[in-house]
Amino acid sequence: MACCAAIAAVIGLVRAAWFRLLPDRRPVEPTFAPPAHRSADGTAPLRAEPAGVPRRRGLTGSALVGVAVGTAAYALAITILRATPVVRTLDGPWVVRDAGLVALVAVTLLAGLAGGGARSVPAVLLGAGVAWTELGLLDMHLLGLFELRVAALPLDLLLHGSGPLLVVLAAQRLARPRPRLETSTP
Amino acid sequence: MTTVAVRPDETTTVLLPTDVPLFPPATRRAMLRSGAGYAVLWALGAVALAVDAGPRPTVLALGLTLPGGGLLHAGHPVLGAVALLAVLLAVFVWWAAGPTVLPPLVWLVSAALPALTLDDPTGSAGAGIAVLTAVPAAALVAVAVHAARHRSQRRRGAKLNARLAEVGFRITGAPSYPRDAAVVEHTAEDLRRLRAALDTALQPADSYDGFTHLDQFREGALRYQLNALSYGLSMSQFTRTPAFRGYLAEAQRNTIDKVLQRKVWGYWALENAWGNLRRDKDPVPLGGNVMLTGFFGLQVGMYSLLNDDRYTRPGSLDFRWDDDTSFPYDLGALAANVRASVRDSRFSLYPCEPNWIYTICNTFGLNTVLAQEQLQSSGEADDVRARLRRAYESEFLRPDGRIVGVRSSHLGLSWNFWASPSVQLATAYWLNPGMPDLAQRTWWLLRDGWLRVEDGLVSTPRSVVSRLDPGSYQLGTDTFTLAVTTMAAREIGDEETARAAERTIAERCPTEQRYGAERVAGASGLANSYLNLGRFGRRSALRDLVAFGPPREWRDGPVLDAAAYPDVLVARAVSDGAALDLVLVPGEGPVRTRLTLAQLRPGTRYDVTGARDATLTADGEGRAVVEVELGRRQEVRVSPAS
């Protein structure tokens, strides 16, 4: 039932605008299910589907949720680090950067949740790893917003290396095939 | 289960309450509590400004007084506007998916970040005073507008009452079968529509072909599609084939099994965590998630009233999270949860998503209680109904009779535009089993201006909401609105409007056919399922099924227990308790096939017409098999041998 048609209408407006920008992303509306069969005694015929490429619904949405999670985690970690003597905060466009991070979290979270479907944990980790990597490079080496005061090399490796490590691990899990054999029973 | 000789219909007048306060009691309490909470934030800003607490504390305090207020004070109006928009966006996400923590979190971050990071947080006193004034001024304006609208609505309500006093609403009582409601036969078009639903429902448990996959939080979620699919199947069984189980009952069970899958109900773990700050994954919590328990409870209730009692057994509805964690319930437990939640709620109605109370969703909760009451009486249904009725007539009603669609349980707030006619339309249908007088009045108000029938076609004012298919969030189509119009009009007994709505759909919306099945093209699965619910309904059909239950003869008399699909399409199946009457149609051309009958009297000999054998004898379990040659529409009658 349309228990909240107003919010569904808002979602409809956002989706309409989105698909106007990216018409090829519009999903195909499902129509008929495959015809069902039952024998005279009420049982269903056995049906085996060949093992094939697993369905990967919601990968993009999961990755976007991952970007939101990674961004939030990164922002929190840097905020905590800046309160310690480990990091020296430098002058720079902090306000713009912070607003950007908030917007990035909001947009990716909304887009990721709107995608629906089951969440893929590896895809979430992939998105988080990418976000962590990119934001670290952006803050330290493009905007020059902070630098490490102590143990610069190991901490630098830890900060910039943990993101790619997460990406590699997540990609490995995503690449692992999952054969599927489905048999229907009455 | 109630069966009486003559349907005790009652004609009554139903006036609008004249004493709906500006802020009803529970709403007022929630608003005062929210206002007190905000007053603390406001006082922080006022004190910081008054005592000149220093630039950074002042920016923080004013940021807590108004989202973006600290930035505005410090001379960054654009960033202040961005912060305000971020909080509004967070409120929207809260509304959409229930993360209660998000708005305060974003608000806090938007206040703290500038205080910590601005290079020069010094601000002007004038801007600070503007920030302090903003929310109280907006609240005063909102209250003034609400008061003016309330007065206007009271005037309109008084005028409506003068006319309502002249209207006699016929409230249907317990039906007498077949006098009040004959079991009718599916038309060829009915059967094509039913086949589309059956094919969708008879898939293997882990297949979801034909379903829309968008999100699991809002109207496009799988659970609503499964609920609606099952409601349509149940209604077809109730009004056309109450003495047929077979693949029709299996299809309903399949939809129930699918709702129990984690991919359908698992959203609650997330919503409960970010909305109620609870880690409990149990999808049947006290005082929440009526969007699952109410909708699903009714789905299971309709099946149980028509077929068997398997879902009343303890643990029969097992919400399984993983190998180690499951939440076993049954229909009685779902109904008990609804009853307890109603009693526990200050508003009587209780939330779907954390904090958000929807009037439509709570009608499903009541219907769950009523359906369960037909099977296992708790004796508490009338109390629940009375509590909900008081709330529907006060906390969730405008003086002009419009039902308020949504209210925040934390804040007490609602949205005026949310008393939209679309809300009234659906509520009129689902309210009919439990509060038929309010349903009739709501329908009368809808027909009094919003819904018009001209030249045999239905027209509704063009609005975004009435031109929305919530099953796919597609705009620009009123198929869904027409589907709900058909449902409500037919249930209320306004057959002229129901037929007009169906004709409007037939003229406006093309259909598509495949493998003997038919659906409205371009409409979501949800819309097609509700089209079926409307198509298969009749006057007070939902009320008769949910509030009174089917007659004992239909449940306990002989039934067609199994037939081949789609070889045998069952157009009509009814029992009078002793004999069984069937109308069968071949679904894939002429066929010789077997029919399995059940609930016959064990060892009894029956006369058979329309089958290959003229007699049959029931086995010790009351079962028998007959063979039929099905070349075209075929009537089959099985009656005790004379």
Side-chain angles (χ1 to χ4, degrees), chain B residues 3 5 10 34 116 162 210 324 381 413 422 438 444 452 465 522 600 637:
Chain B
T3 307
E10 176 193 349
S34 313
L116 292 171
D324 303 320
L413 296 174
S422 299
L438 303 191
W444 185 88
R452 292 194 309 279
V465 171
L600 301 163
R637 180 172 172 80

Side-chain angles (χ1 to χ4, degrees), chain A residues 1-17 19 26-45 47 49 55 57 79 82 90-103 105-107 109-110 112-119 180-186, chain B residues 71 79 82 86 89 92-93 95-96 109 113 117-119 196 198-200 202-204 206-207 209-219 224 247 250 254 263 274 295 358 360-361 364 417-418 422 426 430 464-465 468 470 472-473 475 480 484 487 512-515 517-519 526 530 562-566 588 593-594 596:
Chain A
M1 204 69 257
C3 47
C4 190
I7 212 159
V10 175
I11 295 170
L13 287 167
V14 172
R15 281 172 58 85
F19 294 135
R26 185 184 293 277
V28 177
E29 287 296 329
T31 55
F32 293 98
H37 288 89
R38 292 293 181 273
S39 63
D41 60 1
T43 57
R47 189 194 69 166
E49 288 184 1
R55 282 183 291 184
R57 286 199 183 109
T79 305
R82 285 173 60 203
L90 306 173
D91 289 339
W94 278 101
V95 174
V96 175
R97 176 264 196 194
D98 291 339
L101 291 192
V102 170
V105 170
V107 169
L109 196 61
L110 262 183
L113 293 178
R119 291 277 160 257
R180 172 169 176 263
L181 181 66
E182 184 183 312
T183 305
S184 74
T185 52
Chain B
L71 288 161
L79 289 174
V82 169
L89 184 64
F92 175 78
V93 175
W95 184 20
V109 169
L113 273 180
T117 60
L118 279 181
D119 293 335
L198 286 167
D199 288 341
T200 306
L202 286 171
Q203 297 176 69
D206 60 348
S207 293
D209 293 318
F211 288 87
T212 305
H213 291 80
L214 292 174
D215 70 281
Q216 298 311 318
F217 295 102
R218 300 303 325 174
E219 281 68 10
Y224 295 127
Y247 55 76
E250 183 196 346
N254 281 2
K263 69 184 290 184
W274 69 21
F295 283 70
Y358 291 99
I360 292 180
C361 296
F364 288 83
F417 65 82
W418 197 233
S422 299
W430 296 108
V464 173
V465 171
L468 165 77
S472 59
Y473 308 113
L475 296 170
F480 186 86
V484 183
M487 285 161 47
E512 52 188 346
Q513 293 188 18
R514 194 182 301 170
Y515 308 118
E518 179 181 287
R519 69 191 299 282
L526 187 75
Y530 279 124
Y565 176 82
E588 285 194 327
T593 184
R594 286 171 289 118
T596 303

Side-chain angles (χ1 to χ4, degrees), chain A residues 21-132:
Chain A
L21 287 172
L22 300 166
D24 57 325
R25 295 293 304 275
R26 185 184 293 277
V28 177
E29 287 296 329
T31 55
F32 293 98
H37 288 89
R38 292 293 181 273
S39 63
D41 60 1
T43 57
L46 286 180
R47 189 194 69 166
E49 288 184 1
V53 180
R55 282 183 291 184
R56 293 290 175 82
R57 286 199 183 109
L59 279 190
T60 309
S62 300
L64 286 170
V65 170
V67 170
V69 170
T71 305
Y74 173 82
L76 186 67
I78 297 304
T79 305
I80 292 169
L81 274 177
R82 285 173 60 203
T84 68
V86 172
V87 160
R88 178 186 293 120
T89 302
L90 306 173
D91 289 339
W94 278 101
V95 174
V96 175
R97 176 264 196 194
D98 291 339
L101 291 192
V102 170
L104 182 62
V105 170
V107 169
T108 50
L109 196 61
L110 262 183
L113 293 178
R119 291 277 160 257
S120 159
V121 174
V124 171
L125 294 177
L126 185 78
V130 169
W132 184 282

